[in-house]
């Protein structure tokens, strides 16, 4: 049976106003045109959808079922219309993704480039936080998507795999640790370190691990980025702890060595977290699928 959105909008307007004339004015069409459209719709479906009374029009039992479905169709049509406007660039979509230092500095930039090229209507805000703060932010609805250390409990959030990562030591080539195949963090704590600023999420994690050995890091320099840290390590200023993904690149470019850490906590699985698929906006759902499939 044929019908169009104008038919459904008229039915909803009649139910909302209880009056054919008021419904016609809200659409807007002439009352005669509205009456004809309703009559033809009822004839095509073989149903009486409204009871005409002196005090107004009331939906019949069949009419109530049709109205329920009509509202659902109109809602989906509006969502489609909004999506088309977004894809055409008429509307900007802002997504917020909270992630750890490691994810933001290593894996996410390469992963997000192709996605953002495919969706030019999206503006993405990357926020750096500790894993526990990321989980809290997603749980509270402050951001839709998080990338966190998968060793932590999610508190009921949906968790999906993203990437595997290891923290390693980066040392000058002539350093005493350079010939070691592996080393525990305890063996490195006697040497000066080149670190990130204290407020960075990864740095807070590293300093917390050192404190478990009751041996705080000997911090000689705090540098703003992994690149700056690697340059300083190459000049024998100190040693550093970096994600293996970043350290591997520096080991090819600079006179430095990678020493894997024996500590179990140094091997980490980065995971995506969301409250649930049904809570995600369409674009956020596409982003999660893209990241999880990479």
């Amino acid at each position: 049976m044929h019908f169009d959105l104008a038919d459904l909008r008229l039915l909803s307007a009649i139910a909302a106003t209880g009056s054919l004339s008021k419904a016609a004015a809200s659409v807007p069409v002439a009352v005669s045109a509205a009456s004809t459209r309703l009559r033809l719709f009822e004839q095509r479906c073989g149903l009486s959808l409204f009871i005409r009374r002196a005090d107004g029009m009331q939906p019949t039992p069949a009419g109530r079922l049709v109205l329920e479905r009509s509202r659902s169709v109109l809602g989906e049509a509006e969502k489609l219309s909004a999506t088309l406007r977004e894809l055409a660039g008429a509307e900007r979509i802002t997504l917020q993704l909270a992630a750890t230092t490691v994810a933001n500095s290593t894996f996410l930039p390469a992963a997000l480039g192709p996605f953002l090229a495919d969706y030019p209507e999206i503006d993405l805000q990357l926020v750096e936080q500790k894993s526990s703060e990321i989980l809290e932010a997603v749980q509270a609805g402050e951001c839709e998507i998080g990338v966190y250390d998968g060793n932590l409990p999610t508190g009921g959030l949906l968790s999906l795999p993203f990437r595997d990562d290891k923290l390693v030591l980066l040392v000058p080539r002539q350093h005493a640790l350079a010939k070691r195949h592996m080393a525990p963090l305890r063996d490195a704590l006697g040497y000066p370190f080149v670190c990130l600023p204290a407020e960075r999420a990864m740095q807070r994690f590293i300093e917390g691990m050192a404190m478990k050995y009751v041996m705080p890091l000997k911090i000689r320099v705090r540098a703003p980025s992994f690149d700056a840290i690697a340059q300083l390590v190459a000049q024998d200023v100190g040693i550093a702890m970096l994600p293996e993904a970043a350290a591997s690149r520096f080991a090819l470019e600079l006179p430095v060595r990678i020493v894997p850490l024996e500590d179990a906590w140094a091997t980490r699985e980065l995971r995506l977290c969301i409250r649930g698929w049904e809570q995600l906006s369409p674009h956020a759902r596409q982003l999660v699928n893209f990241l999880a499939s990479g």
Side-chain angles (χ1 to χ4, degrees):
M1 188 194 86
H2 173 76
F3 61 86
D4 57 32
L5 295 179
D7 293 328
L8 304 186
R9 291 191 184 99
L10 178 61
L11 296 180
S12 295
I14 294 171
T17 63
S19 165
L20 184 62
S21 60
K22 290 180 181 178
S26 69
V27 173
V29 295
V31 175
S32 59
S35 178
T36 299
R37 181 175 285 275
L38 175 60
R39 175 174 54 80
L40 292 175
F41 187 90
E42 289 181 321
Q43 287 177 355
R44 289 197 300 272
C45 64
L47 296 169
S48 176
L49 301 180
F50 292 93
I51 300 172
R52 283 75 169 171
R53 293 177 175 170
D55 59 347
M57 300 177 67
Q58 298 294 324
T60 63
R64 286 194 289 271
L65 288 174
V66 172
L67 282 165
E68 181 181 346
R69 295 289 188 269
S70 295
R71 293 179 182 119
S72 176
V73 171
L74 289 171
E76 291 300 318
E78 179 55 35
K79 291 178 183 177
L80 174 59
S81 178
T83 298
L84 292 173
R85 291 194 299 272
E86 292 160 4
L87 292 174
E91 294 184 8
R92 304 298 303 170
I93 301 299
T94 300
L95 298 180
Q96 188 175 69
L97 193 160
T100 62
T101 306
V102 173
N104 274 335
S105 301
T106 55
F107 300 111
L108 281 175
L112 290 171
F115 177 83
L116 294 172
D118 286 343
Y119 294 92
E121 70 277 11
I122 291 179
D123 296 325
L124 183 64
Q125 297 178 352
L126 284 176
V127 179
E128 183 178 305
Q129 292 179 309
K130 290 174 58 178
S131 289
S132 58
E133 296 168 346
I134 291 167
L135 292 168
E136 291 172 3
V138 175
Q139 191 74 260
E142 296 171 4
C143 64
E144 289 188 280
I145 309 166
V147 181
Y148 73 104
D149 180 353
N151 294 327
L152 295 180
T154 62
L157 295 175
L158 179 60
S159 177
L160 302 165
F162 176 53
R163 298 287 192 278
D164 290 328
D165 181 61
K166 294 180 180 179
L167 288 176
V168 298
L169 294 172
L170 192 72
V171 304
R173 280 183 182 168
Q174 304 306 316
H175 194 273
L177 293 174
K179 295 181 179 180
R180 299 274 294 269
H181 294 295
M182 296 187 78
L185 176 60
R186 181 187 295 274
D187 289 359
L189 293 177
Y191 300 101
F193 271 77
V194 182
C195 301
L196 288 169
E199 66 273 12
R200 298 288 292 276
M202 190 184 95
Q203 189 59 36
R204 283 183 283 168
F205 172 79
I206 291 172
E207 292 183 31
M209 290 297 104
M211 289 303 297
K212 288 188 175 182
Y213 297 105
V214 199
M215 297 174 65
L217 293 182
K218 295 180 179 179
I219 300 173
R220 188 175 183 194
V221 180
R222 290 194 185 273
S225 67
F226 291 160
D227 289 83
I229 288 172
Q231 292 285 345
L232 290 165
V233 170
Q235 297 175 71
D236 206 17
V237 172
I239 66 174
M241 194 185 310
L242 294 180
E244 186 177 40
S248 296
R249 173 167 60 86
F250 300 135
L252 296 174
E253 301 170 352
L254 299 168
V256 294
R257 301 269 187 201
I258 292 174
V259 180
L261 284 164
E262 292 179 0
D263 307 82
W265 51 261
T267 300
R268 305 184 297 172
E269 180 188 20
L270 297 177
R271 296 183 68 86
L272 299 160
C273 62
I274 57 176
R275 281 184 292 169
W277 291 108
E278 63 281 359
Q279 281 86 26
L280 290 177
S281 63
H283 284 84
R285 193 177 301 119
Q286 291 296 322
L287 177 55
V288 171
N289 281 325
F290 182 84
L291 293 175
S293 66

